Amino acid sequence: MHVVITGASRGIGKEMTKQLRDAGHEVTATSRDHSADTRLDVTDPGQQARFAAQLKGRPVDLLVCNAGVYIDKGTTFDEYSAEIWSKSLATNVTGVFLTVQALMPNLKIAETPKIALMSSQMASHTRAPGGSYAYRASKAAVLNLGRNLASDLRPDGIAVGIYHPGWVRTDMGGDEGDISVQDSAAGLIDEFDLLSVETTGCFHTWDGRIHPY
């Protein structure tokens, strides 16, 4: 299986890359810097085009859109700026769409193609305690994007899953997270294995629970 993972320089993306490779899969890992196999700023259409050209003619069995930012963690209401909003949405939403768009030809030539989008429980309307406005809104947009992609891509046999990776002890999640990055990555990989056209559009947690929208 050939897997493409964005945002693989650290945290969950890096650990998923390791676990999938240990299991014998081919993984193309990307990051904004040179710390992964391929440099890819998901917000840059030019880099997306070059990345797609590098993979031309190669099936992508699983695309994991993991790249994301949490710029407004701890930001107070008065501290919000247009830049916080634009950067959050550019990476967390536009970057996801551009990646899927760029690699659609590769997905369509795979036998059982799948797309996994990293959202968050913070995207759910059932969890609205306030704050983190840009992050919550961007992850809610990813959830909406995934649901609509699932509808559009079902006729092509491409399954789309949306996932909450858990509150993970990473640079983004902080030291107080509930689970280790190893457990999150392993659970997500199990969820990707179970994803199919029959379950396309699902919003699941890393440990297999159905999360309310």
Side-chain angles (χ1 to χ4, degrees):
M1 179 172 68
H2 178 208
V3 184
V4 172
I5 302 178
T6 65
S9 63
R10 60 182 181 174
I12 299 168
K14 184 175 182 179
E15 181 62 26
M16 284 193 290
T17 298
K18 178 184 182 300
Q19 292 190 21
L20 285 164
R21 284 177 174 164
D22 287 347
H25 299 294
E26 178 188 4
V27 181
T28 301
T30 79
S31 64
R32 281 183 298 181
D33 55 23
H34 294 282
S35 59
D37 304 326
T38 302
R39 184 171 180 268
L40 175 65
D41 181 341
V42 296
T43 69
D44 186 330
Q47 289 190 29
Q48 290 279 12
R50 288 190 291 274
F51 182 52
Q54 292 173 21
L55 295 182
K56 186 176 181 179
R58 294 179 59 191
V60 171
D61 302 287
L62 171 62
L63 170 60
V64 183
C65 293
N66 174 71
V69 294
Y70 189 176
I71 298 171
D72 58 327
K73 186 175 184 179
T75 300
T76 65
F77 183 84
D78 291 336
E79 291 172 335
Y80 272 86
S81 65
E83 184 179 22
I84 288 175
W85 280 99
S86 61
K87 286 186 175 180
S88 298
L89 294 170
T91 300
N92 295 354
V93 187
T94 307
V96 171
F97 183 84
L98 291 177
T99 305
V100 172
Q101 187 181 50
L103 296 185
M104 189 55 61
N106 308 80
L107 290 159
K108 286 185 174 180
I109 60 175
E111 188 172 342
T112 54
K114 303 178 184 183
I115 301 170
L117 307 185
M118 291 299 107
S119 183
S120 169
Q121 66 180 3
M122 293 169 73
S124 174
H125 73 274
T126 63
R127 291 182 61 90
S132 297
Y133 302 110
Y135 185 77
R136 291 181 192 279
S138 67
K139 289 302 183 179
V142 170
L143 174 56
N144 183 275
L145 173 60
R147 294 281 291 170
N148 283 283
L149 282 172
S151 295
D152 284 340
L153 299 180
R154 183 195 293 267
D156 294 316
I158 301 174
V160 181
I162 308 104
Y163 301 95
H164 165 54
W167 184 12
V168 188
R169 293 187 291 273
T170 62
D171 290 343
M172 182 181 290
D175 295 334
E176 297 180 354
D178 294 330
I179 59 171
S180 70
V181 68
Q182 292 81 10
D183 287 344
S184 174
L188 287 168
I189 290 169
D190 287 343
E191 284 298 300
F192 303 160
D193 286 341
L194 295 171
L195 178 62
S196 69
V197 172
E198 286 69 37
T199 61
T200 192
C202 63
F203 183 26
H204 285 182
T205 64
W206 67 278
D207 53 355
R209 291 175 290 118
I210 298 173
H211 202 292
Y213 298 106

PDB file of all heavy atoms in Angstrom, residues 66-86:
ATOM      1  N   ASN A  66      -2.985  15.358   7.264  1.00  0.00           N
ATOM      2  CA  ASN A  66      -2.702  15.550   8.676  1.00  0.00           C
ATOM      3  C   ASN A  66      -2.137  16.938   8.995  1.00  0.00           C
ATOM      4  O   ASN A  66      -2.183  17.378  10.140  1.00  0.00           O
ATOM      5  CB  ASN A  66      -1.714  14.465   9.141  1.00  0.00           C
ATOM      6  CG  ASN A  66      -1.237  14.670  10.556  1.00  0.00           C
ATOM      7  OD1 ASN A  66      -1.996  14.495  11.504  1.00  0.00           O
ATOM      8  ND2 ASN A  66       0.028  15.055  10.701  1.00  0.00           N
ATOM      9  N   ALA A  67      -1.603  17.635   7.993  1.00  0.00           N
ATOM     10  CA  ALA A  67      -0.988  18.947   8.234  1.00  0.00           C
ATOM     11  C   ALA A  67      -2.008  19.904   8.838  1.00  0.00           C
ATOM     12  O   ALA A  67      -3.139  20.012   8.354  1.00  0.00           O
ATOM     13  CB  ALA A  67      -0.437  19.517   6.933  1.00  0.00           C
ATOM     14  N   GLY A  68      -1.610  20.589   9.896  1.00  0.00           N
ATOM     15  CA  GLY A  68      -2.525  21.531  10.534  1.00  0.00           C
ATOM     16  C   GLY A  68      -1.794  22.436  11.504  1.00  0.00           C
ATOM     17  O   GLY A  68      -0.669  22.142  11.924  1.00  0.00           O
ATOM     18  N   VAL A  69      -2.439  23.539  11.843  1.00  0.00           N
ATOM     19  CA  VAL A  69      -1.874  24.496  12.804  1.00  0.00           C
ATOM     20  C   VAL A  69      -2.930  24.843  13.844  1.00  0.00           C
ATOM     21  O   VAL A  69      -4.126  24.779  13.585  1.00  0.00           O
ATOM     22  CB  VAL A  69      -1.380  25.780  12.097  1.00  0.00           C
ATOM     23  CG1 VAL A  69      -0.201  25.488  11.177  1.00  0.00           C
ATOM     24  CG2 VAL A  69      -2.509  26.473  11.333  1.00  0.00           C
ATOM     25  N   TYR A  70      -2.441  25.207  15.024  1.00  0.00           N
ATOM     26  CA  TYR A  70      -3.302  25.668  16.117  1.00  0.00           C
ATOM     27  C   TYR A  70      -2.694  26.978  16.611  1.00  0.00           C
ATOM     28  O   TYR A  70      -2.128  27.059  17.691  1.00  0.00           O
ATOM     29  CB  TYR A  70      -3.346  24.609  17.216  1.00  0.00           C
ATOM     30  CG  TYR A  70      -4.352  24.826  18.323  1.00  0.00           C
ATOM     31  CD1 TYR A  70      -4.517  23.868  19.311  1.00  0.00           C
ATOM     32  CD2 TYR A  70      -5.150  25.973  18.388  1.00  0.00           C
ATOM     33  CE1 TYR A  70      -5.426  24.035  20.339  1.00  0.00           C
ATOM     34  CE2 TYR A  70      -6.070  26.149  19.405  1.00  0.00           C
ATOM     35  CZ  TYR A  70      -6.200  25.176  20.386  1.00  0.00           C
ATOM     36  OH  TYR A  70      -7.115  25.361  21.410  1.00  0.00           O
ATOM     37  N   ILE A  71      -2.846  27.999  15.789  1.00  0.00           N
ATOM     38  CA  ILE A  71      -2.199  29.283  16.042  1.00  0.00           C
ATOM     39  C   ILE A  71      -2.809  30.011  17.228  1.00  0.00           C
ATOM     40  O   ILE A  71      -2.122  30.717  17.970  1.00  0.00           O
ATOM     41  CB  ILE A  71      -2.283  30.169  14.783  1.00  0.00           C
ATOM     42  CG1 ILE A  71      -1.552  29.509  13.616  1.00  0.00           C
ATOM     43  CG2 ILE A  71      -1.706  31.546  15.040  1.00  0.00           C
ATOM     44  CD1 ILE A  71      -1.781  30.203  12.288  1.00  0.00           C
ATOM     45  N   ASP A  72      -4.110  29.839  17.427  1.00  0.00           N
ATOM     46  CA  ASP A  72      -4.803  30.659  18.417  1.00  0.00           C
ATOM     47  C   ASP A  72      -4.962  29.991  19.779  1.00  0.00           C
ATOM     48  O   ASP A  72      -5.789  30.416  20.586  1.00  0.00           O
ATOM     49  CB  ASP A  72      -6.159  31.113  17.886  1.00  0.00           C
ATOM     50  CG  ASP A  72      -7.058  29.947  17.499  1.00  0.00           C
ATOM     51  OD1 ASP A  72      -6.533  28.907  17.050  1.00  0.00           O
ATOM     52  OD2 ASP A  72      -8.290  30.085  17.633  1.00  0.00           O
ATOM     53  N   LYS A  73      -4.159  28.978  20.058  1.00  0.00           N
ATOM     54  CA  LYS A  73      -4.228  28.342  21.371  1.00  0.00           C
ATOM     55  C   LYS A  73      -3.873  29.366  22.445  1.00  0.00           C
ATOM     56  O   LYS A  73      -2.806  29.966  22.425  1.00  0.00           O
ATOM     57  CB  LYS A  73      -3.264  27.165  21.426  1.00  0.00           C
ATOM     58  CG  LYS A  73      -3.366  26.339  22.694  1.00  0.00           C
ATOM     59  CD  LYS A  73      -2.464  25.126  22.624  1.00  0.00           C
ATOM     60  CE  LYS A  73      -2.635  24.246  23.848  1.00  0.00           C
ATOM     61  NZ  LYS A  73      -1.763  23.039  23.775  1.00  0.00           N
ATOM     62  N   GLY A  74      -4.784  29.602  23.374  1.00  0.00           N
ATOM     63  CA  GLY A  74      -4.553  30.552  24.448  1.00  0.00           C
ATOM     64  C   GLY A  74      -4.770  32.002  24.069  1.00  0.00           C
ATOM     65  O   GLY A  74      -4.569  32.904  24.898  1.00  0.00           O
ATOM     66  N   THR A  75      -5.213  32.258  22.838  1.00  0.00           N
ATOM     67  CA  THR A  75      -5.433  33.635  22.392  1.00  0.00           C
ATOM     68  C   THR A  75      -6.717  34.198  23.004  1.00  0.00           C
ATOM     69  O   THR A  75      -7.758  33.539  23.002  1.00  0.00           O
ATOM     70  CB  THR A  75      -5.539  33.685  20.854  1.00  0.00           C
ATOM     71  OG1 THR A  75      -4.327  33.196  20.289  1.00  0.00           O
ATOM     72  CG2 THR A  75      -5.775  35.103  20.357  1.00  0.00           C
ATOM     73  N   THR A  76      -6.645  35.398  23.521  1.00  0.00           N
ATOM     74  CA  THR A  76      -7.841  36.039  24.070  1.00  0.00           C
ATOM     75  C   THR A  76      -8.630  36.695  22.937  1.00  0.00           C
ATOM     76  O   THR A  76      -8.110  36.928  21.850  1.00  0.00           O
ATOM     77  CB  THR A  76      -7.470  37.106  25.108  1.00  0.00           C
ATOM     78  OG1 THR A  76      -6.752  38.172  24.466  1.00  0.00           O
ATOM     79  CG2 THR A  76      -6.608  36.508  26.208  1.00  0.00           C
ATOM     80  N   PHE A  77      -9.875  37.005  23.218  1.00  0.00           N
ATOM     81  CA  PHE A  77     -10.764  37.584  22.211  1.00  0.00           C
ATOM     82  C   PHE A  77     -10.159  38.819  21.556  1.00  0.00           C
ATOM     83  O   PHE A  77     -10.170  38.972  20.328  1.00  0.00           O
ATOM     84  CB  PHE A  77     -12.108  37.925  22.845  1.00  0.00           C
ATOM     85  CG  PHE A  77     -13.124  38.452  21.880  1.00  0.00           C
ATOM     86  CD1 PHE A  77     -13.900  37.585  21.135  1.00  0.00           C
ATOM     87  CD2 PHE A  77     -13.299  39.817  21.701  1.00  0.00           C
ATOM     88  CE1 PHE A  77     -14.842  38.070  20.223  1.00  0.00           C
ATOM     89  CE2 PHE A  77     -14.228  40.306  20.807  1.00  0.00           C
ATOM     90  CZ  PHE A  77     -15.001  39.431  20.068  1.00  0.00           C
ATOM     91  N   ASP A  78      -9.600  39.706  22.357  1.00  0.00           N
ATOM     92  CA  ASP A  78      -9.062  40.959  21.840  1.00  0.00           C
ATOM     93  C   ASP A  78      -7.771  40.778  21.046  1.00  0.00           C
ATOM     94  O   ASP A  78      -7.367  41.689  20.312  1.00  0.00           O
ATOM     95  CB  ASP A  78      -8.811  41.946  22.985  1.00  0.00           C
ATOM     96  CG  ASP A  78     -10.104  42.437  23.616  1.00  0.00           C
ATOM     97  OD1 ASP A  78     -11.148  42.394  22.932  1.00  0.00           O
ATOM     98  OD2 ASP A  78     -10.076  42.846  24.789  1.00  0.00           O
ATOM     99  N   GLU A  79      -7.129  39.637  21.204  1.00  0.00           N
ATOM    100  CA  GLU A  79      -5.856  39.391  20.515  1.00  0.00           C
ATOM    101  C   GLU A  79      -6.038  38.833  19.106  1.00  0.00           C
ATOM    102  O   GLU A  79      -5.075  38.747  18.345  1.00  0.00           O
ATOM    103  CB  GLU A  79      -4.992  38.422  21.333  1.00  0.00           C
ATOM    104  CG  GLU A  79      -4.476  39.009  22.634  1.00  0.00           C
ATOM    105  CD  GLU A  79      -3.802  37.969  23.508  1.00  0.00           C
ATOM    106  OE1 GLU A  79      -4.121  36.766  23.377  1.00  0.00           O
ATOM    107  OE2 GLU A  79      -2.953  38.358  24.333  1.00  0.00           O
ATOM    108  N   TYR A  80      -7.259  38.451  18.755  1.00  0.00           N
ATOM    109  CA  TYR A  80      -7.475  37.866  17.429  1.00  0.00           C
ATOM    110  C   TYR A  80      -7.224  38.892  16.332  1.00  0.00           C
ATOM    111  O   TYR A  80      -7.604  40.047  16.443  1.00  0.00           O
ATOM    112  CB  TYR A  80      -8.899  37.306  17.299  1.00  0.00           C
ATOM    113  CG  TYR A  80      -8.992  35.887  17.772  1.00  0.00           C
ATOM    114  CD1 TYR A  80      -9.204  35.608  19.114  1.00  0.00           C
ATOM    115  CD2 TYR A  80      -8.831  34.821  16.899  1.00  0.00           C
ATOM    116  CE1 TYR A  80      -9.265  34.310  19.571  1.00  0.00           C
ATOM    117  CE2 TYR A  80      -8.891  33.513  17.347  1.00  0.00           C
ATOM    118  CZ  TYR A  80      -9.106  33.257  18.689  1.00  0.00           C
ATOM    119  OH  TYR A  80      -9.152  31.969  19.139  1.00  0.00           O
ATOM    120  N   SER A  81      -6.580  38.429  15.270  1.00  0.00           N
ATOM    121  CA  SER A  81      -6.268  39.284  14.123  1.00  0.00           C
ATOM    122  C   SER A  81      -6.708  38.590  12.850  1.00  0.00           C
ATOM    123  O   SER A  81      -6.960  37.379  12.821  1.00  0.00           O
ATOM    124  CB  SER A  81      -4.760  39.552  14.058  1.00  0.00           C
ATOM    125  OG  SER A  81      -4.067  38.334  13.817  1.00  0.00           O
ATOM    126  N   ALA A  82      -6.760  39.355  11.780  1.00  0.00           N
ATOM    127  CA  ALA A  82      -7.084  38.775  10.478  1.00  0.00           C
ATOM    128  C   ALA A  82      -6.046  37.733  10.075  1.00  0.00           C
ATOM    129  O   ALA A  82      -6.371  36.735   9.427  1.00  0.00           O
ATOM    130  CB  ALA A  82      -7.171  39.881   9.423  1.00  0.00           C
ATOM    131  N   GLU A  83      -4.802  37.964  10.482  1.00  0.00           N
ATOM    132  CA  GLU A  83      -3.734  37.026  10.121  1.00  0.00           C
ATOM    133  C   GLU A  83      -3.924  35.670  10.790  1.00  0.00           C
ATOM    134  O   GLU A  83      -3.694  34.628  10.162  1.00  0.00           O
ATOM    135  CB  GLU A  83      -2.370  37.600  10.508  1.00  0.00           C
ATOM    136  CG  GLU A  83      -1.199  36.732  10.082  1.00  0.00           C
ATOM    137  CD  GLU A  83       0.144  37.332  10.447  1.00  0.00           C
ATOM    138  OE1 GLU A  83       0.190  38.179  11.364  1.00  0.00           O
ATOM    139  OE2 GLU A  83       1.145  36.950   9.832  1.00  0.00           O
ATOM    140  N   ILE A  84      -4.339  35.660  12.036  1.00  0.00           N
ATOM    141  CA  ILE A  84      -4.612  34.386  12.712  1.00  0.00           C
ATOM    142  C   ILE A  84      -5.670  33.602  11.957  1.00  0.00           C
ATOM    143  O   ILE A  84      -5.533  32.399  11.714  1.00  0.00           O
ATOM    144  CB  ILE A  84      -5.055  34.633  14.173  1.00  0.00           C
ATOM    145  CG1 ILE A  84      -3.869  35.084  15.019  1.00  0.00           C
ATOM    146  CG2 ILE A  84      -5.686  33.379  14.768  1.00  0.00           C
ATOM    147  CD1 ILE A  84      -4.235  35.471  16.441  1.00  0.00           C
ATOM    148  N   TRP A  85      -6.728  34.297  11.567  1.00  0.00           N
ATOM    149  CA  TRP A  85      -7.793  33.630  10.823  1.00  0.00           C
ATOM    150  C   TRP A  85      -7.318  33.142   9.451  1.00  0.00           C
ATOM    151  O   TRP A  85      -7.576  31.995   9.071  1.00  0.00           O
ATOM    152  CB  TRP A  85      -8.986  34.580  10.653  1.00  0.00           C
ATOM    153  CG  TRP A  85      -9.831  34.657  11.873  1.00  0.00           C
ATOM    154  CD1 TRP A  85      -9.806  35.621  12.836  1.00  0.00           C
ATOM    155  CD2 TRP A  85     -10.819  33.711  12.284  1.00  0.00           C
ATOM    156  NE1 TRP A  85     -10.715  35.340  13.819  1.00  0.00           N
ATOM    157  CE2 TRP A  85     -11.364  34.178  13.512  1.00  0.00           C
ATOM    158  CE3 TRP A  85     -11.309  32.523  11.735  1.00  0.00           C
ATOM    159  CZ2 TRP A  85     -12.365  33.490  14.191  1.00  0.00           C
ATOM    160  CZ3 TRP A  85     -12.311  31.840  12.417  1.00  0.00           C
ATOM    161  CH2 TRP A  85     -12.836  32.321  13.622  1.00  0.00           C
ATOM    162  N   SER A  86      -6.623  33.978   8.722  1.00  0.00           N
ATOM    163  CA  SER A  86      -6.233  33.611   7.361  1.00  0.00           C
ATOM    164  C   SER A  86      -5.245  32.445   7.358  1.00  0.00           C
ATOM    165  O   SER A  86      -5.367  31.521   6.543  1.00  0.00           O
ATOM    166  CB  SER A  86      -5.631  34.812   6.620  1.00  0.00           C
ATOM    167  OG  SER A  86      -4.460  35.286   7.265  1.00  0.00           O
TER     168      SER A  86
END
